[in-house]
């Protein structure tokens, strides 16, 4: 019997030194943009949760994975060979809109691999009226291929290089300023470090953003 939870590894793309996008066969899996899967290596009794970063309409699935020094699982993903198999269980999670409205404006705020579900949402629904605020350690961790006018980068461990939409410091340091220049009718998607998500959520509520406009997913 074929195990439908085993997905062939089709491709790997390194982002900087610490991030990797793996591309696997979709098999008969379906998901909503914003959901995640529990991903592991066959015969290893350990899985980790990773959000999908590609369109739900694609015939494959992509995951954005950050390398964990001394980790049990992530080094195996980084060293896996094309054609080997990855264990994929799911999908799971409620980080998506059941009634998607392309007329809305979207502000996506994330740290590290927390940008993954934003990419899936944008690609799946072909939305154009959005802005991403992405907190990363170094510029080499940025995601290529995004519209530079809609993708803002916040560096915590590197000085700015005089590039447009690249800022120094934590993304939370800029939220209040950002709120002064955007429509309060935006929908806000928060994903990433739990402290960042909690802090931004509190800032939004304090600035009279309705809770039903805020959607969040926490990475631990």
């Amino acid at each position: 019997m074929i195990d439908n939870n085993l997905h062939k590894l089709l491709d790997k793309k390194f982002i900087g030194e610490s991030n990797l996008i793996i591309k696997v066969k979709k098999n008969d899996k379906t998901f909503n943009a914003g959901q995640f899967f529990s991903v592991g290596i066959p015969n290893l009794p350990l899985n980790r949760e990773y959000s999908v970063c590609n369109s739900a309409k694609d015939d494959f699935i992509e995951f954005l994975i950050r390398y964990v020094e001394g980790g049990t699982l992530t080094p195996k993903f980084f060293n896996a060979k094309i054609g080997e198999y990855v264990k994929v269980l799911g999908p799971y999670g409620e980080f998506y809109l059941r009634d998607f409205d392309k007329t809305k404006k979207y502000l996506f705020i994330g740290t590290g691999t927390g940008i993954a579900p934003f990419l899936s949402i944008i690609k799946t629904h072909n939305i154009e009226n959005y802005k991403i605020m992405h907190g990363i350690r170094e510029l080499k961790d940025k995601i290529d291929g995004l519209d530079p006018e809609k993708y803002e980068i916040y560096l915590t461990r590197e000085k700015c290089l005089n590039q447009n939409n690249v800022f120094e410091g934590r993304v939370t340091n800029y939220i209040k300023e950002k709120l002064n220049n955007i429509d309060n009718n935006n929908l806000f998607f928060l994903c990433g470090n739990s402290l960042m998500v909690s802090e931004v959520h509190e800032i939004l509520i304090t600035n009279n953003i309705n809770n039903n406009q805020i959607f969040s997913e926490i990475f631990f």
Side-chain angles (χ1 to χ4, degrees):
M1 180 180 295
I2 297 175
D3 187 344
N4 197 53
N5 292 321
L6 294 181
H7 296 243
K8 182 178 288 187
L9 180 61
L10 301 175
D11 197 12
K12 295 163 58 180
K13 178 183 177 182
F14 292 92
I15 301 174
E17 298 174 359
S18 302
N19 294 288
L20 172 72
I21 292 179
I22 63 170
K23 177 180 180 179
V24 303
K25 288 194 68 172
K26 196 172 188 178
N27 295 353
D28 66 352
K29 293 283 198 307
T30 61
F31 61 89
N32 292 303
Q35 288 190 298
F36 63 88
F37 286 85
S38 180
V39 187
I41 299 294
N43 301 318
L44 185 67
L46 177 68
N47 281 30
R48 291 286 185 266
E49 296 172 351
Y50 296 106
S51 294
V52 180
C53 62
N54 66 294
S55 171
K57 301 173 185 177
D58 291 333
D59 60 358
F60 54 87
I61 306 175
E62 290 183 326
F63 301 104
L64 176 59
I65 298 172
R66 180 168 184 81
Y67 187 85
V68 177
E69 189 69 38
T72 302
L73 192 57
T74 56
K76 296 186 181 300
F77 288 131
F78 274 67
N79 294 323
K81 294 180 174 59
I82 304 302
E84 294 183 346
Y85 285 85
V86 176
K87 182 170 53 177
V88 180
L89 307 176
Y92 307 104
E94 303 294 326
F95 191 55
Y96 63 92
L97 295 180
R98 288 168 176 79
D99 299 310
F100 197 86
D101 187 350
K102 289 184 66 172
T103 67
K104 294 285 189 180
K105 297 178 181 178
Y106 294 82
L107 181 59
F108 298 102
I109 305 170
T111 53
T113 57
I115 193 176
F118 306 158
L119 302 179
S120 183
I121 291 169
I122 291 167
K123 294 172 183 176
T124 300
H125 299 290
N126 297 314
I127 61 174
E128 297 182 358
N129 201 349
Y130 70 88
K131 182 78 74 174
I132 297 175
M133 301 178 69
H134 189 200
I136 54 179
R137 297 177 181 180
E138 298 175 295
L139 194 59
K140 64 185 180 182
D141 293 328
K142 70 181 179 69
I143 302 298
D144 294 326
L146 294 174
D147 185 338
E149 297 304 315
K150 298 178 180 179
Y151 178 40
E152 297 180 354
I153 298 169
Y154 298 82
L155 303 176
T156 59
R157 296 189 181 180
E158 186 177 37
K159 295 292 184 181
C160 287
L161 304 176
N162 297 319
Q163 296 190 32
N164 290 334
N165 286 337
V166 179
F167 306 89
E168 292 181 23
R170 297 173 62 236
V171 65
T172 49
N173 297 342
Y174 294 84
I175 296 299
K176 290 183 180 179
E177 178 183 343
K178 178 68 66 176
L179 289 176
N180 292 331
N181 299 305
I182 65 172
D183 186 344
N184 278 5
N185 291 319
N186 270 262
L187 296 182
F188 299 83
F189 283 72
L190 319 177
C191 188
N193 177 275
S194 59
L195 293 178
M196 181 280 293
V197 170
S198 298
E199 187 174 343
V200 173
H201 189 278
E202 183 176 349
I203 292 171
L204 294 177
I205 295 298
T206 302
N207 282 267
N208 300 315
I209 303 299
N210 291 327
N211 199 51
N212 60 8
Q213 295 172 242
I214 306 171
F215 305 86
S216 60
E217 183 93 309
I218 291 176
F219 285 5
F220 292 97

